[in-house]
Amino acid sequence: MAITKHVLVSGRVQGVGYRAWTQHEASLRDLAGWVRNCDDGRVEAILHGQPDAVSAMLDAMRQGPAMSQVDDIITRESEAPQIRHFEVTR
């Protein structure tokens, strides 16, 4: 049974390729959802897929790409996205 998580990532996560990296990593894990920059400097994402894949993605997001520095990740349950793939928005 698929699960959905709403994720907010804080730290040095804008301007370092975090969104593109997230899209790539999510696609490798066959996740649906989206990722975007927030006005407050955080990155926001919806992850939808199998529990083990979502968990692995959250672990990866805690590390991020080479130029990022993740300070905190906040997650909560969410409703499934209306899309079946993973996309970068704004």
Side-chain angles (χ1 to χ4, degrees), residues 14 26 36 39-40 43-44 49 55-56 61 63 72 77 79:
Q14 290 190 14
R36 66 182 174 199
D39 292 337
D40 64 4
V43 167
E44 178 180 29
S55 179
M61 290 176 79
Q63 297 300 311
D72 192 27
E77 301 296 321
E79 293 187 22

Side-chain angles (χ1 to χ4, degrees), residues 76-88:
R76 65 176 170 85
E77 301 296 321
S78 184
E79 293 187 22
Q82 298 298 317
I83 56 176
R84 296 177 188 246
H85 60 280
F86 201 90
E87 63 185 39
V88 175

Side-chain angles (χ1 to χ4, degrees), residues 13-56:
V13 292
Q14 290 190 14
V16 293
Y18 197 94
R19 288 180 301 155
W21 174 87
T22 299
Q23 180 185 34
H24 175 75
E25 292 293 320
S27 295
L28 291 176
R29 292 169 174 82
D30 200 27
L31 297 177
W34 49 261
V35 62
R36 66 182 174 199
N37 284 339
C38 298
D39 292 337
D40 64 4
R42 295 183 294 178
V43 167
E44 178 180 29
I46 292 290
L47 307 174
H48 177 77
Q50 294 303 308
D52 58 337
V54 171
S55 179

